[in-house]
């Protein structure tokens, strides 16, 4: 999606008509109009499946006229155990994760045992909820993915440890006929870890995933405000 509408102002920077990008499965594009050197960004991520709310980043972003911004607004995940990209971000200079200059972290997925997913956003995403002996996935940070959930050792039964998040995406969850489904972590600058699961003499337990972290590139972003656990449903990005 391209938008070229702009209007000159007395300050030497053009004024653009606000434009909002909704959740989509693929990257969208926007070309910076002539005369525009700074835009205000309102970037909100999607929630996890039945899970934590997505984070929000508000800031001013330095841009150059004619520059292409790559816009990604990941949708709400469709499976509890799948590590889907539900973060929202802006990329400059390319479409890879390494080109992201603004990221709002997505919420972690819930488990089939109704453990709540962690909130996305903030410099460190929120942890998911534990369930019985099954530990929760932790939130992603500015330098690493969140740890996967661990389980209290038992003598009879079996356990499934969670997977750590990585740059961009959360750790994958899983499903077991005895334990149920444990939630995947939310996407973000670094993704949240998935929950763990366990089956023992006391019952079946499955924990939730942690939320992904948000991020802004210091050299390009100013007036930054982070809000953790802001958005229910699908995310968005508004440029103005």
């Amino acid at each position: 999606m391209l938008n070229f509408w702009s209007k000159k102002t007395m300050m030497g920077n053009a004024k653009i008509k606000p434009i909002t990008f909704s959740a989509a499965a693929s990257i969208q594009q926007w070309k910076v109009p002539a005369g525009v050197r700074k835009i205000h960004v309102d970037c909100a991520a999607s929630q996890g499946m039945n899970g934590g709310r997505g984070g929000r980043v508000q800031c001013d972003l330095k841009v150059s006229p004619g520059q292409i911004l790559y816009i990604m607004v990941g949708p709400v995940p469709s499976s509890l155990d799948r590590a889907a990209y539900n973060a929202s971000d802006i990329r400059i200079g390319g479409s890879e994760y390494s080109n992201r200059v603004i990221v709002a972290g997505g919420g972690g997925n819930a488990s089939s045992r109704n453990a709540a997913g962690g909130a996305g956003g903030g410099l460190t995403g929120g942890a998911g909820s534990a369930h019985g002996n099954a530990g929760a996935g932790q939130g992603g940070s500015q330098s690493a993915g969140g740890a996967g959930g661990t389980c209290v050792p038992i003598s009879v039964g079996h356990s499934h440890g969670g997977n750590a998040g990585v740059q961009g995406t959360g750790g994958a969850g899983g499903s077991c006929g005895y334990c149920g489904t444990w939630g995947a972590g939310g996407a973000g600058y670094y993704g949240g870890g998935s929950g763990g699961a366990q089956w023992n003499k006391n019952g079946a337990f499955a924990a939730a995933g942690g939320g992904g972290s948000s991020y802004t590139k210091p050299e390009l972003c100013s007036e930054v405000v982070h809000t953790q656990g802001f958005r229910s449903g699908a995310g968005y990005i508004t440029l103005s």
Side-chain angles (χ1 to χ4, degrees), residues 127-228:
S129 294
H131 185 236
N133 288 350
Q138 302 301 300
S141 71
Q142 296 299 288
S143 59
T150 58
C151 298
V152 177
I154 53 173
S155 58
V156 178
H158 68 264
S159 299
H160 303 272
N163 294 305
V166 297
Q167 186 180 39
T169 58
S175 187
C176 166
Y178 292 95
C179 303
T181 302
W182 48 103
Y189 184 55
Y190 280 90
S194 68
Q198 187 176 96
W199 173 77
N200 60 43
K201 65 181 181 179
N202 295 316
F205 307 100
S213 60
S214 293
Y215 167 81
T216 55
K217 190 175 181 69
E219 300 90 335
L220 297 178
C221 300
S222 60
E223 305 299 324
V224 178
V225 177
H226 289 284
T227 306
Q228 188 179 80

Side-chain angles (χ1 to χ4, degrees), residues 87-98:
S88 292
D89 68 65
I90 294 178
R91 311 175 192 192
I92 293 178
S95 59
E96 303 301 319
Y97 285 156
S98 59

Side-chain angles (χ1 to χ4, degrees), residues 17-217:
K17 183 179 180 180
I19 180 171
T20 296
F21 296 83
S22 300
S26 59
I27 292 176
Q28 304 171 69
Q29 296 183 24
W30 183 77
K31 185 176 181 179
V32 179
V36 174
R37 293 174 176 82
K38 182 182 287 187
I39 57 175
H40 182 72
V41 177
D42 182 357
C43 179
S46 296
Q47 69 173 61
M49 183 176 182
N50 300 334
R53 295 183 179 186
R56 183 189 194 188
V57 176
Q58 297 163 282
C59 67
D60 293 334
L61 174 66
K62 293 180 182 179
V63 293
S64 300
Q67 195 172 47
I68 300 296
L69 303 188
Y70 298 89
I71 309 290
M72 183 65 196
V73 183
V76 177
S78 59
S79 176
L80 290 175
D81 59 347
R82 179 169 173 255
Y85 195 82
N86 62 334
S88 292
D89 68 65
I90 294 178
R91 311 175 192 192
I92 293 178
S95 59
E96 303 301 319
Y97 285 156
S98 59
N99 298 115
R100 297 179 299 172
V101 299
I102 299 173
V103 184
N109 288 356
S111 78
S112 64
R113 303 295 179 182
N114 296 319
L123 297 180
T124 299
S129 294
H131 185 236
N133 288 350
Q138 302 301 300
S141 71
Q142 296 299 288
S143 59
T150 58
C151 298
V152 177
I154 53 173
S155 58
V156 178
H158 68 264
S159 299
H160 303 272
N163 294 305
V166 297
Q167 186 180 39
T169 58
S175 187
C176 166
Y178 292 95
C179 303
T181 302
W182 48 103
Y189 184 55
Y190 280 90
S194 68
Q198 187 176 96
W199 173 77
N200 60 43
K201 65 181 181 179
N202 295 316
F205 307 100
S213 60
S214 293
Y215 167 81
T216 55
K217 190 175 181 69

